[in-house]
Amino acid sequence: MVRPGKTRSGKVGLPPGSLVHIGEKTAEKTKISLIHYNEQTLQRMDIQQISACASFLQETGISWISFEGIPEIPVLEELGLKFGLHPLTLEDILNTDQRPKMEDYGDYLYIVLKMFYFDNPGKVDIKSEQISIILGANFVISFQEQAGSIFQPIRERLDNARGRLRRSGPDYLTHALIDAIVDHYFLILENSGERIELLEQALIKSPSAGMLDTLQGLKKEMILLRKSLWPLREMISTMERSESPLISKSSVVYFKDIYDHTIHIIDTLETFRDMLSGMMDIYLSSISNRMNEVMKVLTVIATLFMPLTFIAGIYGMNFKYMPELEWRWGYAMVWGILLTIAGLMVLYFRRKNWW
Amino acid sequence: MVRPGKTRSGKVGLPPGSLVHIGEKTAEKTKISLIHYNEQTLQRMDIQQISACASFLQETGISWISFEGIPEIPVLEELGLKFGLHPLTLEDILNTDQRPKMEDYGDYLYIVLKMFYFDNPGKVDIKSEQISIILGANFVISFQEQAGSIFQPIRERLDNARGRLRRSGPDYLTHALIDAIVDHYFLILENSGERIELLEQALIKSPSAGMLDTLQGLKKEMILLRKSLWPLREMISTMERSESPLISKSSVVYFKDIYDHTIHIIDTLETFRDMLSGMMDIYLSSISNRMNEVMKVLTVIATLFMPLTFIAGIYGMNFKYMPELEWRWGYAMVWGILLTIAGLMVLYFRRKNWW
Amino acid sequence: MVRPGKTRSGKVGLPPGSLVHIGEKTAEKTKISLIHYNEQTLQRMDIQQISACASFLQETGISWISFEGIPEIPVLEELGLKFGLHPLTLEDILNTDQRPKMEDYGDYLYIVLKMFYFDNPGKVDIKSEQISIILGANFVISFQEQAGSIFQPIRERLDNARGRLRRSGPDYLTHALIDAIVDHYFLILENSGERIELLEQALIKSPSAGMLDTLQGLKKEMILLRKSLWPLREMISTMERSESPLISKSSVVYFKDIYDHTIHIIDTLETFRDMLSGMMDIYLSSISNRMNEVMKVLTVIATLFMPLTFIAGIYGMNFKYMPELEWRWGYAMVWGILLTIAGLMVLYFRRKNWW
Amino acid sequence: MVRPGKTRSGKVGLPPGSLVHIGEKTAEKTKISLIHYNEQTLQRMDIQQISACASFLQETGISWISFEGIPEIPVLEELGLKFGLHPLTLEDILNTDQRPKMEDYGDYLYIVLKMFYFDNPGKVDIKSEQISIILGANFVISFQEQAGSIFQPIRERLDNARGRLRRSGPDYLTHALIDAIVDHYFLILENSGERIELLEQALIKSPSAGMLDTLQGLKKEMILLRKSLWPLREMISTMERSESPLISKSSVVYFKDIYDHTIHIIDTLETFRDMLSGMMDIYLSSISNRMNEVMKVLTVIATLFMPLTFIAGIYGMNFKYMPELEWRWGYAMVWGILLTIAGLMVLYFRRKNWW
Amino acid sequence: MVRPGKTRSGKVGLPPGSLVHIGEKTAEKTKISLIHYNEQTLQRMDIQQISACASFLQETGISWISFEGIPEIPVLEELGLKFGLHPLTLEDILNTDQRPKMEDYGDYLYIVLKMFYFDNPGKVDIKSEQISIILGANFVISFQEQAGSIFQPIRERLDNARGRLRRSGPDYLTHALIDAIVDHYFLILENSGERIELLEQALIKSPSAGMLDTLQGLKKEMILLRKSLWPLREMISTMERSESPLISKSSVVYFKDIYDHTIHIIDTLETFRDMLSGMMDIYLSSISNRMNEVMKVLTVIATLFMPLTFIAGIYGMNFKYMPELEWRWGYAMVWGILLTIAGLMVLYFRRKNWW
């Protein structure tokens, strides 16, 4: 996730449109399913051959073909042929190291964006997956990198014959898909927000070196989310202001709604970044403060005992003629001196607030 | 307040326009009141049924329906039906985690913004509340999260039959509502400004670790205000330049006035941010300075007493043949040496400005 | 000056256009004077009643009414009535906490800006004052917060019947007023520049904690000037590109000239900011350097005397059987050892450049 | 690479269009080769005389003349004459210290950009080379600073008579050349990304002063790549939106594709910069942390042994009348006191977490 | 150079167009020379009276009048009269504290920019001079602050009757003058670049406090160059896109060329700034590292000798009953203990990498 473009090197020198899968391969077989629906009917089926899909295009209604897993290259080539997709589109679908973008190819719009999710609700490890969506006149094709339940709620909403999804065109379905992905960003940020708050409380209570790692981890998380969010915002803004006939007037308000969500997410992210950099300041000044505290202890002890040890040293000398040594109350006097000096030192430290 | 989007997770996967209340629930019942007025008459009433409002729409004059507390979902749905509100509007009213914005739905404008206030004048704890305003051809609907007196002065101004409010349209009423909210930002910033000044004086006098927390608290306050202010500015600018027939030419100058206020508030906020970051510098360098002071004390003491203790140690040795020990004035001589060394050290520290 | 909007709280909840004086009240009475001039004649008079001014508006020639001190509210209301000023303009004149701006009300332009000056040439305390200017078809009205000599040179230039001021319209007079104010910024910045240079030289010679306060004071000064300068630039740019008939073609080149000055001032200000932040770096690293120096002294002394004291301690032990103590040259030998160790230490410190 | 403009000084004062080679001279002879192709045929030849190329311009098909090594000035002058190149273009080809740019001279486009590559795959030393491309109606001229294999894959693709390169115009060939160069940036960034990750892991494990040098080296690398990338982005954006008839409609989508790559590269670069600055923070706070640790050890030892040494010193005094010295259990008692003090100290340090 | 606007204070209050010389006065007399040329002939002469120039304006050909030194005010006034210059232009020529700009007065363009040069090639002290250029229909007037050889190469190129300068109009001559000035920026930056590199190498080898001053000096140099460069870029961009008939179509490509140079210079400058701020980081962390090293030495020595000295102190006590003192091998045993402790300490420091 950190090393963007990592596996691109395999493609250097190839012509554009060369179909090479860039990204991690998954062992699972790609699952292709189709939902064909209109206001009256809805059909679901698992697809083995692309040609099976194509026949539905002739009928009225909307076809939603969804790939869970990146398709094999021959499958993709056939798909390209049947649905009239540009070679660059096919190349981009295979390349899972894309920047979110929307491209208008006239007959269809090609949309690519990143979904972030937690592998396991308890874990803090954020995973990302690339989602490609093709919006045609009467079809939508979606590509996920891995099988996943993200679009399940939409499939369920389609069952509702009176729902807006059934009554609207493929642009509204596309909106629903993007909306589901954008909603996941809220989940991620809520989780980050909670961890930031916990860290902040811990930092204020007692900072430790381990917290710096957590802090840096959160910072890096924000950097990576940010890298996806700004182009996402741009992409949705392009869609909203698009003049493509594939996006109907009535859908624009819904894309505007997603746009607002994206801005809101970005605002939150930037707020988090500001907060994290404030926490870095807290951490750094806490190190300095603790150093100060340590130094004060050292200074107090050294300043207290050095003069005392010196005086004891004086009367440890072996001169033959040291009158004090002979005095009856010499020893008591020295203790008097030592305690006086110690007392004055303590007063001095008190006044300096070092004690 | 820190965790934006916190409670949004409940909505992930739902279709847009789903009415789910996002935000803290308050136990109180929502209070609905209506003021119907024109230049001649003014009527006030508490509303139980939305249908009661709707009848006023037929009459000449302006209806201002104000909700104190987020309405129950069935009430909102009925309102939507009677006043022709888009499902997304209804959804946004319920979601109290909105970014300030203005949306033109043709028949009405939907405005959402944040109000900041102090719960208790003496407390420094800033609370925020979301205010939604719907501006129609002859009605204004306002939604507050909680019962509050913020719009009370406007209600009183409406009583004045010769006031501009009574003579103007619903756009001027909307302006008055927004103006009241924006004015509250001045109150907040005045308070922040006073606290910043107090902190600065305290920091210059004698910095302490506790001040860092205050500083970070103020910084965070600024981050959060900023998050509301920039979209607020944008929203008011959109209204001012709006070509909607719902905003009359003569009102534009008033929206421009609010716009100026917003810019002024933002300028002040940014100035505060600059000042706070300068104060952080003061704090950090004061830590370093104090460390320096502590180190100097330690160094002076150590440098002074180490050589002296060494000399005392020399004459504490038990060698059989140490001629000095036998000397008549050996002890006095040692004191002479010790005092000379101490004197030279003090001179050296004086010259270095360490004493 | 630090707490913008401080006294605005008194206005929260009032309708726009409410005339409330915001800012410090001055005890002095407001002085109103009028100069009516055209190419042939020039009349000066002190005004008691606004009605006295109004009569001049009928005659050919230009009337310049200048208020030194904020007018009383009834006076302002009468002025508003006679000159057809919008309530918002009157409100803004009274509110001396304005952001520089220019507003085109059709019949007149309302200009508000900040003047900075030193109360006393020797003092470094910068004062600010708000200047409002109203530019009408054949009149100019200027408002100063306090009596002051800033426009005196312009009054003198008006005496010169062949000067450009007498031959030009009220737009050129307005230009002259703004130009006088902008020129004062150069004075302020020259003074700041000198203080920055002195501080820099002092910092490089020997940094002290007091310099940090001076540095922060200069930084704050820059923050406050900046807050006025950017909107000033914007305002003058608006005037220069204004399509108002009140600004004649031939005056545009003069406004462009002021615009250049403003940019020049801002450039200088930003340069100062960069220099101040560089000086902060010098200050901070000088603290670190001095700490290093102190630590080196401590380390050298401790490292030198600790082993020596230890050796003296060894021969201070009272064991019965310590052969060295009995040796004839034992004492001399110990001195030999001590001096050798000290010599080696000094060599080591020399090589490390710590001595 | 660090000192841009280094060798420009030789040109100061010369008129524009003066042909002076700026940059490092290479000893090798410049190799000129020509490929003339259309859909049916393809001819390759090594060129000695520019006139040999010119004859191909009359024939149908596309001529690609590639210079490996900067041409001698007379050769370049002849080329300029035959192909109608502007003197400024010729000057720019010779000056290998150019900022990436595209210039439309009407009859041809002049494109200049930087290629980055590793001299030796194992080495981390990034080299840069300037590539100039001239795109004419039926010819492309490319200039490399040194012989290199970067365009080899394109030559091979040209052999494929059914490839898109053979079927398209010179604009597509230009696209292919630029694409090959941009693809190299991915290689560079992948390598940098790996080194950044390694450094980060090393830093988190145990930071050392040497890592700071590596960190600064990587930062500098990013600064230099950035300096080429932003103008590159701008250049490709200019080409994509160019209205020159030399770039056909169907090629625009391919330039858009490169544009996306460039944005992607820049995003990655900026992410790396953010990560590097986060690593600097880790490094700096690790220094502070280690200092703290060292200081704690010192303080613990000093605080522990100073009081103990003082007590031993007390009973090392030689007073005649020190009752404790005579006690039977005096020595044991002192050991008791010493051990008690030491124990209490250890407890204190434990509680402070310093042990 | 640091205090912009320094001497402007003399002008505060004067009307615009007042001719007051702002800047350092030079004692030398202003030298005025004229070159009148067309494709066939070229005349050079030294001018005493402005009227002498004016006569050439009637003839065909181009007159280049160059002032070396700021002209006396009466001379300038006469020039203004003869050549129809606006009073603001004359004022700007005298004011040598201008921001680079280009102004279109219809009949002529007024260009002002800054030239930077070294007084003495070996010195690092950068001097700046203001150059004003007036481009008329058939004349160019240039003003230098001091006599200097910067335009000498252009005078020599004019001698060449077949050169482009002789064949082109006054716009091309203006281009040549600006080009000569911009080329000097490359010289300055090359020199800065070399000094930055030397400093960087020195910093990496062994940082010293003196280097901080050099670093700050370079930073300040960059701040000052930057202050001239950004408006220069803007000015040349204005010229390039100017629609003034005084700049011919064919010259635009040459101004575009200078524009590219300016961008290139700015890029280099920004790169230098980034590098300098990276070097500041190196410097600061090197101070911290050295502090760490010093502290380690202190800690090692203190930790080693304090326990040893304590043990020696124990056996220096004078208790009557200390069995160890009587032992035959007591002394040897103590040495054993001391060496064991020292050995263990050394092992501990080794493991901590402090030795």
Side-chain angles (χ1 to χ4, degrees), chain A residues 73-90:
Chain A
I73 290 166
V75 175
L76 198 60
E77 276 172 342
E78 197 186 343
L79 188 79
L81 225 63
K82 297 276 187 212
F83 287 81
L85 306 180
H86 195 280
L88 285 175
T89 303
L90 302 181

Side-chain angles (χ1 to χ4, degrees), chain E residues 109-127:
Chain E
L109 303 181
Y110 172 62
I111 296 152
V112 61
L113 70 176
K114 294 278 175 194
M115 185 180 76
F116 288 88
Y117 61 98
F118 292 109
D119 225 14
N120 176 317
K123 281 173 73 185
V124 295
D125 204 26
I126 297 176
K127 299 242 161 183

Side-chain angles (χ1 to χ4, degrees), chain B residues 57-224:
Chain B
L57 291 184
Q58 316 308 332
E59 303 180 25
T60 60
I62 296 155
S63 301
W64 172 22
I65 304 160
S66 75
F67 288 78
E68 297 184 43
I70 296 298
E72 298 294 310
I73 290 167
V75 175
L76 198 60
E77 276 173 344
E78 196 187 344
L79 189 80
L81 224 64
K82 298 275 186 211
F83 287 81
L85 306 180
H86 195 280
L88 285 175
T89 303
L90 302 181
E91 187 190 1
D92 283 354
I93 289 167
L94 283 177
N95 177 351
T96 60
D97 174 34
Q98 292 282 325
R99 196 175 177 269
K101 65 178 175 182
M102 191 276 273
E103 272 173 4
D104 188 343
Y105 282 93
D107 288 343
Y108 65 92
L109 303 182
Y110 173 62
I111 296 152
V112 60
L113 71 176
K114 294 277 174 194
M115 185 180 76
F116 288 88
Y117 61 97
F118 293 110
D119 226 13
N120 175 319
K123 281 172 74 186
V124 295
D125 204 26
I126 297 175
K127 300 242 160 182
S128 80
E129 190 180 316
Q130 176 163 310
I131 310 287
S132 294
I133 299 169
I134 290 167
L135 164 59
N138 60 349
F139 63 88
V140 170
I141 314 177
S142 69
F143 299 85
Q144 292 170 257
E145 274 190 75
Q146 288 180 322
S149 59
I150 182 168
F151 295 145
Q152 199 51 41
I154 296 166
R155 289 196 187 90
E156 283 160 17
R157 274 158 59 195
L158 273 175
D159 286 337
N160 176 3
R162 291 178 48 208
R164 175 178 280 269
L165 265 177
R166 285 284 282 281
R167 283 179 290 122
S168 309
D171 50 349
Y172 190 74
L173 176 59
T174 302
H175 159 267
L177 298 175
I178 297 174
D179 195 34
I181 293 162
V182 169
D183 271 357
H184 263 73
Y185 281 92
F186 279 108
L187 288 180
I188 299 293
L189 282 183
E190 272 181 36
N191 179 290
S192 303
E194 277 165 30
R195 280 182 292 140
I196 288 172
E197 233 174 89
L198 284 175
L199 181 61
E200 192 177 32
Q201 285 162 9
L203 259 181
I204 283 171
K205 222 175 118 201
S206 102
S208 76
M211 290 176 194
L212 182 64
D213 290 351
T214 317
L215 189 54
Q216 289 297 336
L218 281 163
K219 263 189 171 174
K220 219 165 122 185
E221 217 171 286
M222 294 304 126
I223 290 173
L224 290 168

Side-chain angles (χ1 to χ4, degrees), chain E residues 214-232:
Chain E
T214 317
L215 190 54
Q216 289 296 336
L218 281 163
K219 265 190 170 174
K220 217 163 123 185
E221 218 171 286
M222 294 304 127
I223 290 173
L224 290 166
L225 283 173
R226 199 168 184 252
K227 208 185 146 198
S228 279
L229 272 167
W230 283 97
L232 178 69

Side-chain angles (χ1 to χ4, degrees), chain D residues 96-119:
Chain D
T96 59
D97 174 33
Q98 293 282 325
R99 196 174 177 270
K101 65 179 174 182
M102 191 276 272
E103 271 172 4
D104 188 342
Y105 283 92
D107 287 343
Y108 64 91
L109 303 181
Y110 172 62
I111 296 152
V112 61
L113 70 176
K114 294 278 174 195
M115 185 180 78
F116 288 88
Y117 62 96
F118 293 110
D119 226 13

